Each structure stands twice: as structure tokens, then as C-alpha cells.
Amino acid sequence: MTWLRDLPIQLRWTVVLGALGLHLAVPFSAPDGTGMQWDELVLGCVATSCAVMVFRRLARMDRAAARPWWPPAFGAVGFAVAQFLAGSFPGPEFDGFGVDDVILLLGATSPLVTCAILARGVIRTRWSALTVDGAVVVAAILVITEVLRTPLVNPENAPEDLRSLVLTYGAYAAVMLGGAGVMCTVSTAAMRRAATTLLIGVALQASAAGAEAMAIVSPSWLWTAVSDSAVAGALVAVTIAAHRAPLRPVERTARAAAPQISSAGLVLVAAAVLGVPLALLGGVLQGAEVTVGAELGIVAVLALMGIRVVLRIREDSRVTEDLVRSEEDFRELIESSSDGIAIIDDRFVLLFTSPAARSLLGIDGETDRDVSLLDLVVPEDRAAVHTGTRAQAAGDGTALHFRVPVDGAQPRELEVTSSERPGGTRRVLYLRDVTTRRVRERELERMAYTDHLTGLPNRVLLFRELAVVSDEERTLLVLDLDGFKAVNDVSGHESGDQLLVEVARRLHTVVRDDDLVARLGGDEFAVLVSGSVADGEDVAQRVVDVMALPFRAGGETFAVGASVGVAGLATVGGQAAFRAADAALREAKRAGKGCVRLAEYDALVVDGMEDLSFAAALAEGTLSLRLDAACDAAGNIQLVHATPLYEHPERGVVRGLELWSVADRFGRIPDLQRWLLREACAAVTDLDPSLAVAVSLPPGAANAEGLAREVAGAVGDARLDPARLVLSFTEETLMTSSAALVPELEAVRRTGVRLCLDGYGMGHSIWALLARVPLDLVRVELTALAARDDTDRALTVLGSIARTTQALGLTSIAGALSTDEQRDAAVAAGMHLVHGRALPFDLTVEDLAAQLAAGRAAAR
């Protein structure tokens, strides 16, 4: 009963205090209405409290969702007014049927309006049928009361001037039960609970009307107690119904608007209709005489039921006609569609195939009985189709690809999505021929990773291979041609292109088949050798030797050599190896060209840090988190930047880019990145809910594979609002990481995590980046905007950046602020956030918590 816990505490107190008030007030209230009516004053208070709660609920609702509940809200107000009038002014003014009864009647009938609005939301609502059904139930209830000779329709013992009021109460009870019972029996799935609760409230109202009539016929505090209790229960039930209704309207689809049966309404309608023969049978057994009124009522019930049968036949005929027409339209749509549609059972047997599906699957003839989908798939794809279909939830949007054989041609490639009814065993397949598209995709992928001139893998593919973690030794060679410029100057660029093609051919003659030869651009090439540094050095020497041989291009002979830098990947990561090999290449150029140089690693890496272990560092407390604050114009901390810090026992503190470089050299970038994401999210979870944390992806070393999954895991484990995490990166990160980084960043942002471009305005293609990557924040360093001593110019540029980002809807951050004057100037320039040495930095989590607590105390 979780919905009970969601109800306002005010409602529980209303029930308790209302019951207590009625218990005390009813014995002191005059049953004949001549004295002070304390019970009506209590009911007025209950109605007022319920009206306030309903209005508060409506204030939280969407306008469309709140529309059905305005009538009972105002009805409760009217009921409260009527009760206060009747309770405060006893005597002739409000005795009998007076103003208070008119207001009371309007308020008491308001739930019927809500029932009608709820019924209107059900698909295929037929108001003619609802009207007849309601009239049948009303007539049946009146017949039952007449046969049983109840005072509600035979008020002989009531005062003559109040008999019409007794009949009004009886008619009201019948109309409310009949109307609400019919309209609330069928509702939508979203409104079923609210409609059922509303029906209970209406039933209590009808009971109250009956008890009130009995109190007039036979004045007694007992009837008054029953009436008051039922009225209070009805008010509470309507309030609960409003709170059980959804806050937002459900999208009006065929499934959402499909009718749902309410068991309470069904029991009420069935009891009313079946009660007529039962009441007649009871009267006959007791020897009671059937009155003329009862006979007329029975005739009315039978006539109305006959009309209902006619309406049902017409409705069934209309539904059947619509169904046949829809089926014809659906079949025509399927048969004219170029996409295939097929239905399979849980054994993959085809139960139905459209003409397009038969053509795509290669099925001959009109029948596909007992044909298995797996038999139509090429043998190599059958296991994948079987496993993928079983493991994939129908309708999750993931497409499955497989091939079907085609006589005398390449297999046809199909893309398949599916849908399945919950609990069903049939699955609908939507097939599309994607052979041409897949060929183009493969060609585009090949072109994306291939140098168009030489046919070699390009820079992107090389860096992707460098990012692959491997247990085997590998060595990277970076080479640059010596004297290539002369070829272009003497014979033109066409001859230069011919020479580059020949260079690519010669490189393949000195490497093994499993080695990777790539063109970086211009006259720069790279070779990824499977083997040790010694093996790589040997290959590099052979490259120098083969490049020293003369080249023929454009009818002329050229002497073009090569210089080579060599770096091993066994002790360093791919990005670091490339930088080391490139540095070694520059050393080879300075050494006179046409030679080989090996990369030299600094002592920080090779002495004392080879055993870098994140698990051990965490256990020993040597790996920790530091936070730098970014504040708004008022000095409040809005965001912190998380930085990893490693305390080496011999080398001291290693942090920031230096630590990322060390992790890259030992192949620990994924570990460090995963640790930083999780630690940063966990650090701010229990702090100020408005505080965000930024994590930077390292330039040239970001681990793109599975980034979105890692971010989602870190946010989920920390129970952090995704909007509180900011992922920061530079243009260099985008350019030097694998091609998977941008799609991963887009997937990250779809989860609600925000993206920040660091070093804004300092890249080569800033506007292209803004169009390529969806950003939320940008960060710019003040010191990078002008010469060292030209702060005024830097602030001028900063103001332009602030205005630009404001127009783009981005949050701007000014960094590297070392003085209070720079901080104030950055705020005046229009930057949203500022950070640097002039603000809190290098904080532990405990330091940050203390800073936030101090800020809250100062604000108070």
C-alpha cells in the first residue's frame, strides 16, 4: 500500500479529527433540525480541509490532467458553505429544502461531472450507450426500492411538507449510483485506480442521501451518525481519488486509451440489474403485492434493456465493419510496402510474410508454411540470429543484421527490427534490404582509415591500433623523408605523389605481414612492428637502407633518404610512444639525417615507478583526489574540478598531466580514468545538491572505448544526478583520440551529463567543434589570451568570448586567475564562473565540505 504513504499528512489528521468531532457532535445535534447542528459544522470543516488538499494537488498537476478534478474541488467548497450555513443558522431560514440544500445539491452532484470527463478519455466511448446503461441502473435501483417498500420511494411516515425532500434524496442516490457506476466501470489504465476510488466516494454519497432520507422519515441520532460518517467518507474518498490521478496526462495512444474494467463498478452495475429479479422473487415468496409503480419500473427496465441490445448490435456491426476495413487497409499497406514484414513463433517458424518479405528472404510461391527463418539465413549467420533474437528484447530499437543467399550473386544483407506483445510468443519482424548501404558503409569506413594516395592505413587507424592493449611487445617507428621537398620543386607534385607511392611499396618489402605501415601525412610515415625495441631498430635500419636507393619519378632520378625514430610500447602507452618516437625522429634529423635514433625515457618513469599499481596505491592512501573550486560572481562554489594526485615514496607528489603521462606510459590510462570518474562522483554526492564536479579527459590519452558506459556506471553507483557531472576535454583530446570519442561523448550527454570544452578559443577549428560536439560549458585561461604583461588586452578578448558564449547559450568559465583583481575583472567581463589560485584550490573532500558549510553559515 505504497500509495497510502504518498497521501498528505493533512488527510490523515482530517480523518482522525473528523471522526472524533462527529463522535462528540452527533449526540448534541437535534435530529429534527430545530437546534444547533454541531455535526454539520464538523462536516463543513472536513469539507474545507479536503477542498484545500485537492486544490494543492491540482496546483501540481498539468492543466489537462487537472481538468477532471476541478468540479469536485469546487463541489467540496460549495458543500462546506452549505454545511456552515445549515449548522450556524438553525431554524426556519434553513429548515426544509432551502438555499443550503441547493448549494449542497450542486456540490454533491459534481463527482458525476468528473465521471463523465474520465469516461470521455476512454477510446470508443458511446454516450448513447452510456446514457441508456445509466438509465437501466437507475430504473433498476428504483424498482428494487419500490418492491422492497423502502421509505425512499414510499415516505408515508414522513412529514407531509418533507416528503418531496425524501423522494429527492432517494432519486439522488439512484442517479448518482447509476451514473457513476456506468461511467466509472470502464476507464483507462492510468485512471483506473482514481476512477475506482471516485466510485467508492459516490457510493458513500448515495448511502449518505439514503440515511438522510431515513432521518427525515424516522428522526434518530443513529441515522444522523450514519449519514455524517458516509458524507465524511465520501469527501475523503474523492480527495484520495484526486491524489491517485497522474500528475501529467498520459499520451493518448490506442493502448493508453484502451478501456480497463473496474471491478467495483462492475459489481455495482451487476448488483443493480440482477437485484430486480431477486427483489421480485423475495416479494413473491413473502406474499407481497407488486405495485403499479414497480410494474411500470420493470417495464421501463426491460424497454431500456431492449434499446441497449439494439445499440449493442449496431455498435458491434460498426466495430466489425471498422475492423474489416482496418484489416484491408493494413493488408494493402503491408503489400505495398518496400520493407518486408514477417511474423515468427518462438521456434522461428514463419507464420506470415508480406510479398516484400518473401522477395527479401528468397521464398518462392505464396505459402511459407513450416519454413524456418534460420533455414533461409546463410549458415555463418544462423547462430548469431538465434542468439541475438533470444537475447534481444523485442522493440528495444536494436537492429539485427544477417545475410540470405542469392543465386548467382553476393548474399543479400538484411536489417531486422522486431516487436512483440508482452507475454506473447509471436514476434513481428521488420526487414529492410541494406546491401547497398552496408557496402557503402564499409567503403566509407575503409576510406576513413585509409590514405587515398598510397592506400596505406592513415593516422586515425594507427592511433586506434596504438590504443589497443596488448601483452605482446610492440615497437613504433616514425620516419620522415629527407630531401623530399626537392622532388616537388623540380618535377612537380605529381612526381612527388608517385614517389610517395613507391615509398609505401618499399616499406612493405622490409616489414612482416603482421606489421602495420601507415602514412601520417605529407612525407611522414609510421611502422608498428610486432617485436622488441631491438627488432624495431633492425627494421628501422632496413628502412633507412632501402630509402637510400635512388627513386625514379617524372622521368628523373632522385636521391631521397629517411630518418627514423624508434620507441617501444612495452613500458609506455601508445600516445606516449608516439611522442617519444617523434622526439627521437627530431634527434635523428639533427644528427645529420639518414639515421636511426632510439627514444630516451626520463628517470621518473624508469626509476622507481615501474610498479605503479592503482590497487596498491589506493590501499596505501598514496592515490587521492584534489578539488579546485570554480565560483560565481557572489563567491559561491558552484563547481569543482577533480584532479588525481599520486604520492610516490621516492619521487614525491605526481599530479595532473604528469600523472596522466606516467599512467599512459604504463598502459594504466583506463584504470586511472575509471578511478577518477568514480571518486569524483562519490566525493560530491552527499554535498550541496547544486554543486557540480568536472572531470577532464587527458589530452592525447583519453580512453574512448566504453566511455559512456563508464560514466553511467560511476553516476549510477554514486546515486548522483547526471547533470552534476561535467566531462571536460580539449580540442587536442578530440584530434588525438580514436574516432569513437565523439559518438561516446554524444552518448554521455544524452544521459544528462554536461560537456565542457577546455581551452576555448585556442584551437584551430573552434566553430567547427561547436557544430560537431554538443557543448554545455566552455573554459578559457586568461593567461593564454594575450602577452604575459598585457592584461587589459586579455580582458578585452575575455569579454568578447563571454558575449559569444552567452549568445550560444553556453556557461563560460575563466581560469588561471591568480589575483583578486583578475577575478573581479573576469566577473565584470561577463564570465559565469571563475577559478584559479585566487580562489579555493587543491582541496580535499573534507576541506570542500568545510568551505561549503562556512558559506552556508555566512549566508544565514
Side-chain angles (χ1 to χ4, degrees), residues 174-194:
V175 171
M176 290 296 290
L177 283 175
V182 169
M183 288 187 286
C184 289
T185 297
V186 179
S187 62
T188 62
M191 299 299 299
R192 183 172 58 180
R193 297 189 307 166

Side-chain angles (χ1 to χ4, degrees), residues 309-598:
V309 170
V310 173
L311 292 176
R312 172 65 67 183
I313 293 174
R314 292 181 58 187
E315 183 178 353
D316 289 346
S317 175
R318 188 184 304 109
V319 170
T320 303
E321 184 180 349
D322 291 343
L323 183 61
V324 171
R325 187 183 300 111
S326 298
E327 184 177 350
E328 291 175 350
D329 294 342
F330 179 68
R331 181 174 293 277
E332 182 179 351
L333 177 64
I334 290 178
E335 292 182 353
S336 62
S337 174
S338 59
D339 293 343
I341 299 176
I343 302 176
I344 61 173
D345 61 14
D346 55 353
R347 297 179 295 112
F348 292 90
V349 174
L350 290 166
L351 305 177
F352 168 81
T353 52
S354 67
R358 287 194 288 272
S359 174
L360 293 174
L361 294 172
I363 300 175
D364 296 327
E366 294 295 324
T367 179
D368 46 42
R369 184 177 300 276
D370 296 333
V371 175
S372 173
L373 175 66
L374 298 178
D375 294 337
L376 303 175
V377 179
V378 297
E380 297 83 2
D381 292 349
R382 289 174 185 170
V385 171
H386 185 276
T387 304
T389 305
R390 296 287 190 196
Q392 174 184 316
D396 68 353
T398 305
L400 183 69
H401 293 87
F402 61 79
R403 295 167 296 166
V404 295
V406 178
D407 294 337
Q410 292 293 323
R412 181 182 294 116
E413 298 192 43
L414 301 182
E415 181 181 80
V416 181
T417 55
S418 62
S419 63
E420 181 180 358
R421 288 186 177 273
T425 59
R426 296 184 175 190
R427 182 172 292 211
V428 181
L429 306 180
Y430 308 94
L431 301 94
R432 176 173 297 180
D433 187 351
V434 293
T435 305
T436 303
R437 192 190 78 190
R438 297 280 284 181
V439 169
R440 290 174 178 171
E441 287 176 353
R442 283 192 288 269
E443 178 62 19
L444 289 173
E445 183 177 7
R446 186 194 66 80
M447 293 172 62
Y449 294 113
T450 304
D451 177 61
H452 72 280
L453 176 63
T454 62
L456 296 176
N458 61 10
R459 184 188 189 98
V460 176
L461 183 57
L462 173 68
F463 276 90
R464 196 167 83 168
E465 290 296 322
L466 290 176
V468 174
V469 178
S470 176
D471 294 332
E472 299 180 357
E473 283 190 294
R474 296 185 299 169
T475 304
L476 178 66
L477 282 58
V478 177
L479 62 106
D480 182 88
L481 299 182
D482 301 327
F484 176 73
K485 184 175 182 299
V487 179
N488 287 332
D489 293 341
V490 174
S491 296
H493 288 85
E494 184 177 354
S495 297
D497 290 346
Q498 294 175 5
L499 190 144
L500 291 174
V501 173
E502 176 62 16
V503 168
R505 188 194 66 78
R506 290 190 185 184
L507 286 174
H508 277 295
T509 64
V510 297
V511 300
R512 291 171 296 199
D513 291 339
D514 55 347
D515 294 336
L516 175 69
V517 178
R519 184 188 177 200
L520 301 177
D523 61 343
E524 293 184 345
F525 294 81
V527 181
L528 185 58
V529 177
S530 299
S532 64
V533 174
D535 295 332
E537 185 180 11
D538 179 62
V539 173
Q541 190 57 55
R542 280 185 282 157
V543 168
V544 171
D545 294 340
V546 75
M547 293 302 164
L549 299 176
F551 286 89
R552 291 284 299 175
E556 299 187 33
T557 302
F558 296 94
V560 177
S563 301
V564 185
V566 181
L569 276 75
T571 58
V572 299
Q575 298 286 345
F578 180 82
R579 289 193 292 269
D582 193 50
L585 171 62
R586 292 194 295 272
E587 287 295 325
K589 288 284 191 181
R590 284 193 289 268
K593 305 180 181 180
C595 61
V596 177
R597 287 292 182 272
L598 302 182

Side-chain angles (χ1 to χ4, degrees), residues 731-776:
E731 183 180 351
E732 181 186 354
T733 304
L734 294 176
M735 294 179 64
T736 57
S737 298
S738 68
L741 181 59
V742 172
E744 288 288 331
L745 289 175
E746 292 173 346
V748 165
R749 191 172 185 272
R750 284 195 294 270
T751 66
V753 175
R754 294 181 289 169
L755 302 182
C756 175
L757 178 63
D758 198 359
Y760 177 80
M762 308 309 298
H764 301 288
S765 53
I766 191 67
W767 297 109
L769 272 180
L770 290 176
R772 179 186 174 199
V773 182
L775 297 173
D776 301 284

Side-chain angles (χ1 to χ4, degrees), residues 89-107:
F89 302 98
E93 296 91 346
F94 294 98
D95 193 17
F97 192 83
V99 177
D100 59 328
D101 292 295
V102 174
I103 300 176
L104 180 65
L105 183 62
L106 293 175

Side-chain angles (χ1 to χ4, degrees), residues 630-631 638-641 690-695 722-731 734 745 748-749 752-761 766 769-770 773-780 801-802 804-806 808-814 831-835:
C631 302
Q638 299 293 336
L639 180 142
V640 290
H641 179 249
S690 64
L691 179 68
V693 60
V695 175
R724 294 179 62 189
L725 176 62
V726 177
L727 215 56
S728 177
F729 49 88
T730 64
E731 183 180 351
L734 294 176
L745 289 175
V748 165
R749 191 172 185 272
V753 175
R754 294 181 289 169
L755 302 182
C756 175
L757 178 63
D758 198 359
Y760 177 80
I766 191 67
L769 272 180
L770 290 176
V773 182
L775 297 173
D776 301 284
L777 305 90
V778 294
R779 178 186 174 277
V780 58
I801 292 176
T804 302
T805 54
Q806 183 85 18
L808 294 171
L810 302 175
T811 299
S812 56
I813 307 172
M831 303 300 288
H832 297 100
L833 299 175
V834 291
H835 80 104

Side-chain angles (χ1 to χ4, degrees), residues 663-683:
D664 184 27
R665 292 172 181 178
F666 290 107
R668 299 299 180 86
I669 284 291
D671 295 333
L672 183 57
Q673 182 172 290
R674 189 178 305 110
W675 176 87
L676 181 60
L677 279 169
R678 293 186 175 276
E679 286 296 308
C681 291

